[in-house]
Amino acid sequence: MKVTSEKWADHRVETTYRDSVGGSVRVFYPSGKLRSYVPYLNIRRHIHHGVSSYYYESGQVRMQEDYVGGKLHGQRLTFYPDGKPRRKESYEKGVFVSGECYGPDGAPIAFFSYDVMPVYSEGAGDKDAVMQAVMENVHYPLEAMCRHVNGVVRILFVVDKNGKVQNVRPDKKTLEAEVPANLRDVYEELQKAAMFGVRHLKAFTPGKQDGEPVDVSYTVPVTFRIK
């Protein structure tokens, strides 16, 4: 699950290198208070290594995670704004081992996953249901059919914390890497057709992180093939 970053009116990022590739990144709130501290084995490749800490603007720890070589290894701890424990999970080489959750009063509650993906409102609610709903509103562009252009178009979008589809856009990296220059204008028509299908998706049940609704990035591959 990939959660989209929040938009701040102002923020500061400090990157400190330990060697040519590793080091740490600190992010600060607009007020100047520390928001997060993340140590990396490799900053460019985003390989976490060590204890990552995240904070409320009050200075209270919000979450701590232990990483070894980019994988959770040890504990993930989360806290309420008043400092009471919210979650305690154990991992071994990226594999979940055990977990406990607590209510605001500190009493244990039924365990639930830290990351919960959005669920589509129709069909089985899974990725297959999303794909089927998209394809119901996709029409093969005439020019692409005439020129026998096939391909897979990857569309990026965000399911926001209210379950609505936002920020629909094509994956331009795919266009640059896989499409011959003389066919890019036709391929862009396929992208427009695919985006039309995504924009007509109905609402989702929002994704959650530690029980709180969050914006979640989503990718849908749309296949155009002439039979």
Side-chain angles (χ1 to χ4, degrees):
M1 175 176 174
K2 182 181 178 183
V3 179
T4 59
S5 59
E6 294 185 34
K7 297 178 181 178
W8 306 315
D10 178 32
H11 71 283
R12 179 163 55 93
V13 178
E14 290 183 354
T15 301
T16 304
Y17 281 89
R18 180 184 61 254
D19 49 42
S20 60
V21 295
S24 61
V25 175
R26 290 177 172 85
V27 177
F28 297 84
Y29 283 99
S31 64
K33 294 184 178 181
L34 184 64
R35 182 184 182 93
S36 63
Y37 167 80
V38 180
Y40 290 91
L41 191 65
N42 188 307
I43 292 177
R44 183 178 63 83
R45 296 174 61 189
H46 301 286
I47 300 177
H48 293 218
H49 188 78
V51 180
S52 296
S53 299
Y54 304 84
Y55 302 88
Y56 293 103
E57 196 164 3
S58 65
Q60 168 62 45
V61 176
R62 181 173 63 83
M63 179 171 69
Q64 288 186 325
E65 297 177 313
D66 297 331
Y67 281 88
V68 174
K71 295 182 179 180
L72 282 167
H73 185 77
Q75 291 188 327
R76 170 190 276 160
L77 306 174
T78 69
F79 303 88
Y80 289 99
D82 63 1
K84 291 180 180 177
R86 184 169 187 161
R87 168 184 304 272
K88 179 179 180 181
E89 296 179 343
S90 296
Y91 289 83
E92 186 172 344
K93 297 180 180 179
V95 178
F96 176 79
V97 176
S98 62
E100 300 171 359
C101 292
Y102 305 90
D105 60 356
I109 61 175
F111 179 79
F112 56 90
S113 297
Y114 179 77
D115 286 322
V116 177
M117 286 294 291
V119 177
Y120 193 52
S121 56
E122 293 193 345
D126 56 10
K127 285 190 174 182
D128 288 341
V130 174
M131 284 299 308
Q132 181 177 348
V134 170
M135 294 307 298
E136 287 176 355
N137 288 292
V138 171
H139 301 284
Y140 214 128
L142 180 60
E143 185 176 2
M145 292 183 66
C146 292
R147 295 175 65 176
H148 300 282
V149 176
N150 300 282
V152 177
V153 175
R154 293 179 178 83
I155 302 300
L156 313 177
F157 63 98
V158 171
V159 177
D160 70 15
K161 61 183 65 178
N162 296 311
K164 295 181 179 180
V165 173
Q166 305 282 0
N167 195 22
V168 180
R169 62 205 187 281
D171 183 352
K172 293 184 178 180
K173 292 181 180 178
T174 303
L175 179 64
E176 294 171 357
E178 301 177 6
V179 182
N182 65 321
L183 292 177
R184 289 196 173 185
D185 57 335
V186 182
Y187 194 81
E188 286 173 356
E189 292 302 312
L190 297 183
Q191 290 179 323
K192 292 177 183 178
M195 286 190 292
F196 180 87
V198 171
R199 289 193 178 104
H200 282 75
L201 286 171
K202 296 182 179 179
F204 288 70
T205 298
K208 293 184 178 181
Q209 196 169 72
D210 206 17
E212 299 293 333
V214 291
D215 295 354
V216 178
S217 295
Y218 218 103
T219 302
V220 170
V222 181
T223 301
F224 291 89
R225 181 174 294 112
I226 301 174
K227 297 181 180 180

